[in-house]
Amino acid sequence: MTKHSEYETIDPTAELITTYNELNSPVIDELTEPPSALEFMRFVAKNRPFVVRGGASNWSAAETWNIATLKKWLKGQDVTVAVTPNGNADAPVMTGDGKIMFVQPLEEQQAFDEFVDFVVGQERTGKKIRDVKEVRYAQTQNDNLRNEYSALYSQVEKDIAWARIALQKSPDAVNLWIGNSLSTTALHKDNYENIYVQILGKKHFVLLPPVAYACVAERHLPSARWMRKPYGRLEITTEEDHSIPFATWDPDNPTPAAEMQTMYSILAQPMRVTLEPGDMLYLPALWYHKVSQSTSDEGICVAANYWYDIEFGGSFWPLCNLARTVGTTALQIEPEDIV
Amino acid sequence: MTKHSEYETIDPTAELITTYNELNSPVIDELTEPPSALEFMRFVAKNRPFVVRGGASNWSAAETWNIATLKKWLKGQDVTVAVTPNGNADAPVMTGDGKIMFVQPLEEQQAFDEFVDFVVGQERTGKKIRDVKEVRYAQTQNDNLRNEYSALYSQVEKDIAWARIALQKSPDAVNLWIGNSLSTTALHKDNYENIYVQILGKKHFVLLPPVAYACVAERHLPSARWMRKPYGRLEITTEEDHSIPFATWDPDNPTPAAEMQTMYSILAQPMRVTLEPGDMLYLPALWYHKVSQSTSDEGICVAANYWYDIEFGGSFWPLCNLARTVGTTALQIEPEDIV
């Protein structure tokens, strides 16, 4: 392998990220009306995001939802709520002994109106995350808007017409998200083309393209879950022999722990966009996204999203896989950590 | 670098090619009518080729061109002709001393009717390539259908409507190709989205996707050109201090010289398609293509093609560049050979 090393004057991973940054704007494209299927397909072809300002502002949901109407339509219904002490469901958590784990939320059933009262009441106290015992977030991502929340489904579009026509498929899942400003979704990616629709409050996205794989410090983390202990206290319970590859770099943390960054993190050029009520975001497949939120005047944040299956044909998937393999090797992660 | 080598259990280049082959058909998609701009854009997004059978059969060119009409419309006009001894313009040639060079054709001006008589007359002799002194091919690729051959331009489409609408640009070049079955275009790629239209005779394409970079044995070849010597003999003249990166692997040669293949060539799955008169081919950007031809009953092969600039935005270009850099390193080519 000595001969190999001699010729390694180009770092392909650094070159990939810098070439991408040179050829692409760090600012998201903004549309003022929904795209045609063809216009959308041009963005899909480039795997580039865009926001449609006010693209959903005439939806019934955007025009009629508030705490009172949501409570009325979901009266008497239980919903699944993710409970965490720090508002970080499905996130890397550094435990007291300095170990990083991938911790999933406790999931509890709760009457919808009690859940909303909790979320809104907490928001109105103005408390910071360190001063609360727990944070609740409806975020099951299991097609919940066509199941648990089906009473609301008639008030959003069944699917996104321009995405359905362009991609020639119906959404695989339509999800509703309800929470307050104390919940954050950690940086991660999904194998889906994603249309995100803001209804109440705002979402603040930090975005990174798939080529930034080597920047996000993906690690194979032991899987764990928040569990209720006596007196309602939340504690981490490890799940046996199960680990998850997950990004540990936080684009908002200027001084990350050494093990939560890589030598390439400094090359990342995060793209930031805030969705206002009625705005839509196209979040392309495999893009990393971190999402935080702020609430409406009533103290709530509500959004819906549409997941369309990724296209595995063509060169995009194999090439992203190459970027991952090369990045992993460059970072000298042991092969058993590669998934 | 020892530590690095220890972990190199996955060969990213082999994985890239085999993953691509697993996820994509080796058979080209066939349409029976021209696509809409949106349907075309879906292929562009996947960087996948297709053929439209009979897609141009109602063009005036397809209905009216033959040797007599072409001679009539180009009466008295000189055209630029590529002259080579073996029908291989812009191709790697192994010289008598075993050196491989990139040899461009001699270019000569010739009256159109004389050129056509030469091409057709040669075809009608039925001679093999080893039995002829020289082969002539009109193949300037410099937008010649809107310049040298502008008398014919009104009989083809000005551009390809579905490509223009989808890509939001006019063609950068529209080229005419006239030759006989003794001409072959060596395996190469272009930085263009390419729509190829067969008018008379047939073209036989061998296609490889950009991810097959490491299969094609790209080498940095000294640049040379065929020149006329006394008695009309053709001889190679080297061009000073100039070299060209070029594929040297021939997908039709089952026993290539060691230096004209790589350890990855065996992984290549060439896609083959023959264009009949009136057929159109979408040849996506950066796809390798080798092209041979057969003639109409009259002994001529005529085609046109439309080049649209490649899209450098998005992830495709940087990722193809990564595949190239990684492949080059895997093949241990010295860095100064990397362009």
Side-chain angles (χ1 to χ4, degrees), chain A residues 24-68:
Chain A
N24 291 281
S25 169
V27 178
I28 195 166
D29 280 311
E30 296 208 11
L31 312 185
T32 52
E33 53 189 328
S36 70
L38 173 58
E39 287 167 329
F40 174 57
M41 203 62 209
R42 293 194 193 108
F43 284 93
V44 174
K46 292 198 284 186
N47 187 248
R48 291 285 296 174
F50 62 83
V51 62
V52 189
R53 295 298 179 196
S57 54
N58 62 349
W59 287 20
S60 175
E63 289 175 342
T64 66
W65 288 6
N66 56 45
I67 290 171

Side-chain angles (χ1 to χ4, degrees), chain B residues 93-295:
Chain B
V93 173
M94 194 177 280
T95 58
D97 55 355
K99 200 173 175 192
I100 306 171
M101 312 192 86
F102 178 75
V103 189
Q104 292 178 276
L106 169 69
E107 289 200 340
E108 290 181 331
Q109 294 295 114
Q110 184 169 27
F112 181 75
D113 55 354
E114 285 177 27
F115 161 64
V116 168
D117 287 344
F118 180 95
V119 164
V120 170
Q122 185 177 62
E123 184 71 25
R124 288 182 176 167
T125 65
K127 280 187 181 166
K128 301 289 182 195
I129 193 72
R130 63 178 172 273
D131 300 321
V132 302
K133 271 196 195 147
E134 66 182 59
V135 177
R136 299 187 190 177
Y137 192 15
Q139 56 113 46
T140 42
Q141 304 159 64
N142 59 356
D143 203 22
N144 63 8
L145 195 41
R146 296 193 289 201
N147 293 285
E148 214 166 31
Y149 293 98
S150 58
L152 304 177
Y153 186 46
S154 65
Q155 297 173 45
V156 300
E157 301 281 330
K158 298 283 161 295
D159 58 20
I160 307 297
W162 35 272
R164 172 178 50 80
I165 295 166
L167 304 175
Q168 295 182 289
K169 51 188 87 158
S170 297
D172 205 50
V174 183
N175 299 312
L176 188 70
W177 309 72
I178 303 178
N180 65 24
S181 68
L182 297 181
S183 279
T184 303
T185 302
L187 191 71
H188 72 287
K189 64 178 161 55
D190 303 303
N191 284 353
Y192 290 105
E193 304 288 1
N194 194 346
I195 310 292
Y196 212 96
V197 183
Q198 191 63 29
I199 299 170
L200 295 172
K202 304 179 185 184
K203 294 264 182 179
H204 314 282
F205 283 81
V206 187
L207 305 176
L208 283 173
V211 299
Y213 166 77
C215 305
V216 305
E218 182 177 280
R219 295 186 56 188
H220 223 141
L221 302 178
S223 174
R225 190 175 281 277
W226 293 105
M227 303 291 273
R228 284 266 185 229
K229 298 290 167 178
Y231 308 105
R233 196 166 44 87
L234 292 165
E235 222 173 66
I236 289 175
T237 305
T238 312
E239 303 194 319
E240 45 178 322
D241 287 343
H242 187 52
S243 69
I244 308 269
F246 206 85
T248 62
W249 185 62
D250 180 348
D252 293 323
N253 183 352
T255 55
E259 64 269 39
M260 293 169 89
Q261 61 181 309
T262 75
M263 62 200 244
Y264 300 109
S265 299
I266 197 169
L267 298 178
Q269 290 191 355
M271 177 186 276
R272 290 167 196 275
V273 60
T274 289
L275 299 193
E276 307 276 343
D279 288 352
M280 308 173 88
L281 170 70
Y282 167 52
L283 179 57
L286 302 185
W287 273 62
Y288 294 94
H289 48 294
K290 176 186 174 181
V291 194
S292 53
Q293 45 195 346
S294 41
T295 67

Side-chain angles (χ1 to χ4, degrees), chain A residues 93-253:
Chain A
V93 173
M94 194 177 279
T95 57
D97 56 357
K99 201 174 173 191
I100 305 172
M101 312 193 85
F102 177 76
V103 189
Q104 294 178 273
L106 168 70
E107 288 198 340
E108 289 181 334
Q109 294 295 113
Q110 184 169 26
F112 180 76
D113 56 354
E114 285 175 28
F115 160 64
V116 168
D117 286 343
F118 180 94
V119 164
V120 170
Q122 184 177 61
E123 185 71 25
R124 287 182 177 167
T125 64
K127 281 187 181 168
K128 302 287 182 196
I129 193 72
R130 62 178 174 273
D131 300 321
V132 303
K133 272 196 195 150
E134 65 182 60
V135 177
R136 298 188 189 176
Y137 193 15
Q139 57 113 47
T140 42
Q141 305 158 65
N142 59 357
D143 204 22
N144 64 8
L145 195 41
R146 295 192 289 202
N147 293 287
E148 214 167 32
Y149 293 98
S150 59
L152 304 178
Y153 186 47
S154 65
Q155 296 172 47
V156 300
E157 301 282 328
K158 299 282 161 295
D159 57 20
I160 308 297
W162 36 271
R164 172 179 49 79
I165 295 166
L167 304 175
Q168 296 182 289
K169 50 188 88 157
S170 297
D172 205 52
V174 183
N175 300 311
L176 189 69
W177 310 72
I178 304 178
N180 64 24
S181 68
L182 297 181
S183 279
T184 303
T185 302
L187 191 71
H188 72 287
K189 63 177 160 57
D190 303 302
N191 284 353
Y192 289 106
E193 305 288 1
N194 194 347
I195 310 291
Y196 212 95
V197 183
Q198 191 63 27
I199 300 170
L200 296 172
K202 302 179 186 183
K203 294 265 181 178
H204 313 282
F205 283 82
V206 187
L207 306 177
L208 282 173
V211 299
Y213 166 76
C215 305
V216 305
E218 182 177 281
R219 295 185 54 187
H220 224 142
L221 302 178
S223 175
R225 191 175 280 278
W226 293 106
M227 302 291 274
R228 284 267 185 227
K229 298 291 166 176
Y231 307 105
R233 197 165 45 84
L234 293 166
E235 223 173 63
I236 289 174
T237 305
T238 311
E239 302 194 320
E240 44 178 319
D241 288 342
H242 187 52
S243 69
I244 308 271
F246 206 83
T248 62
W249 185 62
D250 180 348
D252 292 323
N253 183 351

